[in-house]
Amino acid sequence: MSAVVTPTPSLPERRKEVAPDSAEVAALREAILRRLTYSVGKTPASASEHDWYLAVVYATRDRIVEPWMASTSAAYVHGPKRVYYLSLEFLIGRLLFDALTNLGLTDAMRTATRGLGVDLDRLRTLEPDAALGNGGLGRLAACFMESMATLAIAAHGYGIRYDHGLFRQSLKDGWQQEYPEDWLALGNPWEFKRPEVSYEIGFGGAVEEQTSSDGVVRHVWKPGEYVNAIAYDTPITGWRGQHVNTLRLWSARASEPLLLDAFNAGDYVGAQSGKVRAEAISSVLYPSDETPAGQELRLRQEYFFVSSSLQDLVRRHIKQYQDLRSLSEHVAIQLNDTHPAISVAELMRLLFDVHGLSWEEAWRITRATVSYTNHTLLPEALESWAVPLLERLLPRHMQIIYLINALHLDGLRKAGHTDPAFVSSVSVIDEHAGRRVRMGHLAFIGSHKVNGVSALHTGLLKQTVFRDFDALYPDRIVNETNGITFRRWLFEANPGLTRLLADVAGDAIYDDPAALTRLEAYAGDPALHDALAEIKRQNKVALARIILDRCRVKVDPDALFDVQIKRVHEYKRQLLNILETIALYDAMRAHPHAEWVPTVKIFAGKAAASYHNAKLIIKLANDVGRVVNSDPTLRGLLKVVYLPNYNVSLAESIIPAADLSEQISTAGMEASGTGNMKLALNGALTIGTLDGANVEIREKVGDDNIFIFGLTAEQVEERRRHGIDMQQTIAASAILPEILDAIGSGAFSPDDPSRYLGLVDILRHHDHFMVCADFDAYCARQRDVAHRWKNRAAWWKSSALNTARMGWFSSDRAIRGYAEDIWQVPTTAA
């Protein structure tokens, strides 16, 4: 009996775009002109582009303020449990189109500005990127803030208002150059300064014992230095503008900005030394911590924003409820990674020292209120601080940490855990390499829930860095796989695809990401393939213009755009991609008459300023690009480009244009990833390892619609146990020896033939990240990609299924998980 074949339904007819409401357009136009006059102080005739930009932002912000005030008032009237999201990074990017999209005003505003002779899309490019983050961690925080507003969770984000965010990257002869990022140079029209919201943050000094009349001994911290934290608020609007939350960022100010006596004595620089020292705290995101001064500044930053945030939320709670004993009933504090871990000691200080609760009561409240998200298994990212530094900078906190640890270890001994190695492994104080405070351990002990950010990562947390803690507290570690906000990464970044999806799957996609699954029924339809291909090509043409403008390289929009965009780190393995690029280059030259797929290799990402090997990898990518792009024998079949200064806005141009998404980190080292989700949502096919959320993406999209290769996390650990010398592995490869020889001999660096000898030596003898071990498998999968690309129907069917099956990766789903599993707060439907 033959199988029943379900016919593919006919593709729905594309709907015509509906013109925006004329009354809305007129109201917006009037609002823009009013703001131009009364807030910017210009007439239309004298206004510059930036003046118009400010007027449009103010007119948009006016639409947000009323629901913002209503959301704030409702939190006081109805008393929902508040969520406080503490993050050292918020990579919010540009906000204008984010706000217009969520308010449903994009088309109306575009029409309104056009009527004033102004191009809204041009104004969009004038807004600086608020680069207050390094990568996925900060972008996740921004997505989560938007989703909490969308789900009507009463939430505050807390962070630092850096004067200069992540450095601005330029490429000089292929070398990364770092320059200060100046997003505040022309002011920030989105924020509201709150000079009345200010807290004193202490550093240094000494701790004194004071005995009360009833014989109770209290420890009183007498700081030797104070810095003021000043609040700046940015409203974060949810979908359809129905709920608005607050992102509160702290700026550091000196308590005594000018020593007048010194100034009058002619010491103009010394008179302002206190101001410079204080304001350095909020000056730069991630100052280098290679020096003792840099390490101290990093700790000062972390304590500064934690203390001001906790003082602020405690003040708000007392104002509303009067009694701190109910804090955990009305407040959830989420630590986004280990940077805010000092929160555990600071909250104990506030409850115990400042507000007079008993130690036992303060500890119960702290653990019930705080929860901790771990984002990495990398040892260098699980912060630890030298005990002498903490004792000097935060002496009372060091005492509190000692006591927390002592009581924790006493409890273990009473429970029968006497093995010294076990007790040492779960101690907050690491005694092995100079006495250091393990901040991840402190965060774990002081939290009621600890979560990983993908199923694989959470499992590895339990097996590796928190293995012994998981044995002690088997219910504490939970998984909350990361997500992305579709409002920015689909509706805003890819309006053409969004309109197609709405026409095919219905308008429900705007409110329910699960509705994208309706696209599956049409995945095999050639008419859908044509529509998807045309939208993708338009996006690729737009990206090709950016590449030509910034890299002076002309690329073919009909070529396969193979994209790797992420922070540059050896574990993310941009180097593996470069090696395969060289292999492809050699093969194209050796077999010029083969049917090669025209390919554009697109790299973008920043390396930490002090990370020598990562910066060398950037240089190698540019050197390879210089050789490949200038070789006439290729006839343009292969191009390699490195787009400088990767940020949110550049990502919004690259992601909709990508055909292939490179997610090739060493298995077991990427906690989750969110770029993988953004690219797949926009129809790119993933080539990747079984790492982070790639595991769950494969489960959702299906094995046939993703290109998985390489060692698993378990196999990586097994290989490492047997050594990381790769000479035998390299010798067994048909093409890898020749590639490494070419790089090492200066084929791509004739100006400095020895430039990459150290990099090649690492690959041959110290390949911790398994680049050589996975090379042949990666090359084979790249050939599978090329084969699929040649089969147009198969490629676009896979692309459609990737988009259709990505609904689960919405940050709304992730936030619902936090709300139910960790915070115990209700949510509304998106």
Side-chain angles (χ1 to χ4, degrees):
M1 184 176 179
S2 60
V4 177
V5 178
T6 304
T8 300
S10 299
L11 197 69
E13 186 175 344
R14 300 293 303 276
R15 295 175 291 182
K16 294 182 179 179
E17 292 188 42
V18 179
D21 179 71
S22 58
E24 182 75 272
V25 170
L28 286 173
R29 190 176 296 137
E30 181 184 346
I32 294 168
L33 291 172
R34 187 171 59 251
R35 277 303 207 162
L36 184 68
T37 300
Y38 296 108
S39 297
V40 184
K42 290 291 186 71
T43 65
S46 64
S48 67
E49 276 192 325
H50 188 263
D51 295 330
W52 283 111
Y53 158 71
L54 290 175
V56 168
V57 169
Y58 287 136
T60 304
R61 196 181 73 171
D62 288 346
R63 296 294 187 98
I64 298 172
V65 169
E66 194 170 317
W68 186 27
M69 300 303 178
S71 299
T72 302
S73 298
Y76 278 102
V77 172
H78 302 296
K81 192 173 187 179
R82 284 186 170 94
V83 173
Y84 295 99
Y85 198 82
L86 273 61
S87 180
L88 199 60
E89 301 182 34
F90 283 96
L91 193 55
I92 53 180
R94 292 170 173 163
L95 290 177
L96 177 56
F97 268 58
D98 217 27
L100 290 173
T101 298
N102 279 9
L103 292 171
L105 292 176
T106 305
D107 291 338
M109 184 64 81
R110 184 175 280 110
T111 304
T113 53
R114 188 184 304 123
L116 295 168
V118 177
D119 182 355
L120 182 65
D121 293 292
R122 168 63 187 163
L123 296 186
R124 177 186 195 176
T125 66
L126 302 181
E127 181 175 3
D129 262 61
L132 308 184
N134 184 35
L137 179 78
R139 185 54 229 170
L140 182 79
C143 284
F144 277 8
M145 284 300 300
E146 196 268 2
S147 279
M148 283 188 273
T150 292
L151 299 177
I153 295 172
H156 276 69
Y158 280 125
I160 295 179
R161 182 182 179 267
Y162 302 102
D163 298 328
H164 306 282
L166 189 65
F167 62 83
R168 177 168 50 87
Q169 179 199 54
S170 71
L171 297 174
K172 184 176 182 180
D173 192 27
W175 289 104
Q176 172 178 291
Q177 305 290 313
E178 301 98 25
Y179 299 94
E181 183 277 331
D182 57 353
W183 73 290
L184 289 173
L186 297 177
N188 177 13
W190 293 105
E191 69 186 9
F192 292 81
K193 184 177 181 180
R194 308 293 195 197
E196 75 282 5
V197 181
S198 176
Y199 297 98
E200 281 193 333
I201 312 301
F203 295 100
V207 180
E208 298 178 0
E209 283 191 6
Q210 295 182 357
T211 305
S212 63
S213 57
D214 57 0
V216 176
V217 177
R218 287 282 177 181
H219 293 83
V220 179
W221 180 25
K222 301 286 188 179
E225 173 192 1
Y226 285 100
V227 174
N228 291 333
I230 309 297
Y232 288 77
D233 289 350
T234 299
I236 304 295
T237 183
W239 180 231
R240 302 197 184 279
Q242 295 176 357
H243 186 93
V244 183
N245 283 328
T246 302
L247 174 60
R248 175 161 285 182
L249 302 178
W250 302 103
S251 186
R253 295 291 182 268
S255 55
E256 295 290 343
L258 183 69
L259 298 177
L260 195 57
D261 290 346
F263 189 89
N264 288 334
D267 185 7
Y268 306 129
V269 174
Q272 300 183 73
S273 60
K275 178 177 184 290
V276 172
R277 176 175 168 81
E279 295 183 4
I281 291 174
S282 57
S283 181
V284 176
L285 168 68
Y286 291 144
S288 174
D289 59 358
E290 287 193 309
T291 65
Q295 293 165 18
E296 178 176 330
L297 178 55
R298 183 78 65 87
L299 180 56
R300 284 165 67 89
Q301 285 185 324
E302 293 180 3
Y303 178 67
F304 166 81
F305 106 87
V306 160
S307 180
S308 51
S309 303
L310 293 183
Q311 289 186 63
D312 194 49
L313 70 88
V314 164
R315 172 200 59 80
R316 188 176 297 109
H317 180 82
I318 292 174
K319 176 182 177 181
Q320 187 166 4
Y321 298 105
Q322 292 77 53
D323 188 358
L324 273 175
R325 289 170 178 82
S326 65
L327 186 71
S328 63
E329 300 170 26
H330 300 286
V331 166
I333 299 171
Q334 188 69 38
L335 310 182
N336 189 31
D337 213 16
T338 317
H339 310 120
I342 196 67
S343 295
V344 174
E346 173 67 359
L347 187 54
M348 285 297 293
R349 185 187 73 85
L350 292 173
L351 296 175
F352 181 60
D353 288 358
V354 179
H355 293 279
L357 275 64
S358 70
W359 178 273
E360 293 74 18
E361 207 165 26
W363 185 239
R364 175 190 61 79
I365 293 168
T366 296
R367 288 184 64 171
T369 305
V370 174
S371 48
Y372 160 52
T373 301
N374 174 281
H375 282 278
T376 182
L377 303 174
L378 294 176
E380 64 266 26
L382 286 171
E383 285 184 322
S384 67
W385 295 109
V387 167
L389 173 61
L390 267 168
E391 287 178 327
R392 177 170 55 82
L393 199 63
L394 301 172
R396 179 55 180 151
H397 297 77
M398 194 64 246
Q399 289 182 343
I400 290 171
I401 290 168
Y402 274 137
L403 186 51
I404 289 171
N405 194 47
L407 295 173
H408 162 61
L409 298 183
D410 284 348
L412 294 185
R413 294 186 185 98
K414 290 176 182 177
H417 298 285
T418 57
D419 176 56
F422 181 87
V423 172
S424 175
S425 74
V426 295
S427 173
V428 176
I429 310 298
D430 184 359
E431 307 280 358
H432 293 94
R435 303 178 70 241
R436 301 184 68 85
V437 178
R438 297 161 162 159
M439 301 307 286
H441 283 38
L442 179 64
F444 193 107
I445 292 170
S447 299
H448 66 281
K449 289 293 181 184
V450 175
N451 73 281
V453 290
S454 72
L456 177 64
H457 172 241
T458 301
L460 291 172
L461 275 182
K462 294 181 177 184
Q463 297 167 23
T464 57
V465 294
F466 292 140
R467 180 188 61 193
D468 292 335
F469 278 114
D470 187 53
L472 292 172
Y473 309 103
D475 298 324
R476 188 166 300 185
I477 299 178
V478 297
N479 179 59
E480 303 297 346
T481 297
N482 285 344
I484 57 173
T485 171
F486 287 22
R487 270 80 61 179
R488 182 181 283 259
W489 296 108
L490 180 61
F491 305 165
E492 182 184 335
N494 202 343
L497 179 59
T498 302
R499 285 191 293 270
L500 173 64
L501 295 174
D503 289 344
V504 175
D507 289 340
I509 67 157
Y510 291 111
D511 298 290
D512 179 12
L516 288 172
T517 57
R518 299 175 187 173
L519 186 68
E520 286 193 38
Y522 307 97
D525 191 327
L528 177 65
H529 299 169
D530 290 344
L532 290 172
E534 176 56 29
I535 292 165
K536 182 72 74 173
R537 192 180 191 283
Q538 291 172 6
N539 294 331
K540 290 165 76 171
V541 167
L543 180 58
R545 285 197 293 266
I546 293 173
I547 291 171
L548 182 61
D549 178 59
R550 301 188 188 183
C551 302
R552 296 291 184 261
V553 177
K554 186 175 182 180
V555 300
D556 179 5
D558 292 316
L560 185 150
F561 278 21
D562 179 337
V563 167
Q564 188 170 17
I565 45 173
K566 50 184 75 251
R567 178 168 56 92
V568 182
H569 193 290
E570 286 171 282
Y571 90 83
K572 293 179 183 288
R573 299 202 298 190
Q574 285 88 354
L575 188 52
L576 176 60
N577 192 351
I578 296 168
L579 296 181
E580 193 277 332
T581 301
I582 296 172
L584 181 59
Y585 170 58
D586 289 343
M588 285 180 167
R589 289 190 299 167
H591 307 283
H593 301 298
E595 294 184 8
W596 297 107
V597 170
T599 300
V600 180
K601 290 273 193 174
I602 299 171
F603 296 88
K606 299 176 182 179
S610 59
Y611 195 166
H612 172 75
N613 280 351
K615 296 172 82 167
L616 197 59
I617 289 168
I618 292 175
K619 173 60 173 170
L620 177 59
N622 281 279
D623 278 348
V624 170
R626 176 180 47 79
V627 171
V628 169
N629 298 339
S630 61
D631 190 333
T633 66
L634 293 184
R635 308 179 308 285
L637 286 173
L638 178 63
K639 292 291 179 73
V640 180
V641 294
Y642 202 108
L643 280 162
N645 204 38
Y646 181 60
N647 55 22
V648 175
S649 299
L650 185 55
E652 290 172 352
S653 295
I654 296 174
I655 287 170
D659 294 307
L660 186 67
S661 165
E662 297 273 356
Q663 307 298 329
I664 59 176
S665 53
T666 310
M669 301 198 72
E670 185 75 81
S672 172
T674 53
N676 47 6
M677 303 169 190
K678 296 162 193 168
L679 286 153
L681 175 66
N682 281 271
L685 274 59
T686 300
I687 182 168
T689 53
L690 284 175
D691 196 26
N694 289 355
V695 176
E696 288 147 294
I697 290 175
R698 182 182 71 160
E699 292 172 356
K700 299 297 181 184
V701 306
D703 288 341
D704 293 339
N705 304 302
I706 190 170
F707 300 96
I708 296 295
F709 73 93
L711 302 175
T712 64
E714 294 80 7
Q715 290 168 337
V716 166
E717 285 307 307
E718 180 67 19
R719 285 293 297 265
R720 285 175 179 163
R721 279 194 292 269
H722 288 85
I724 54 176
D725 187 293
M726 292 290 165
Q727 292 184 90
Q728 289 185 352
T729 300
I730 293 167
S733 171
I735 52 178
L736 187 53
E738 184 178 342
I739 293 170
L740 295 180
D741 287 344
I743 296 172
S745 65
F748 299 96
S749 55
D751 58 319
D752 182 3
S754 63
R755 179 180 296 148
Y756 301 114
L757 282 176
L759 210 55
V760 171
D761 184 69
I762 288 172
L763 292 176
R764 284 179 169 146
H765 304 293
H766 310 281
D767 190 12
H768 181 75
F769 301 102
M770 300 292 148
V771 173
C772 296
D774 276 347
F775 174 78
D776 282 349
Y778 176 56
C779 287
R781 283 310 255 164
Q782 281 282 8
R783 302 293 72 77
D784 292 339
V785 169
H787 180 74
R788 181 78 58 88
W789 178 262
K790 293 176 183 177
N791 185 338
R792 187 177 189 276
W795 183 273
W796 288 109
K797 180 179 180 179
S798 288
S799 176
L801 290 174
N802 266 264
T803 298
R805 295 172 179 175
M806 288 301 294
W808 188 81
F809 293 96
S810 164
S811 52
D812 296 348
R813 183 270 315 153
I815 287 299
R816 283 197 184 93
Y818 279 88
E820 294 170 7
D821 302 335
I822 299 174
W823 304 331
Q824 285 80 54
V825 298
T827 64
T828 63

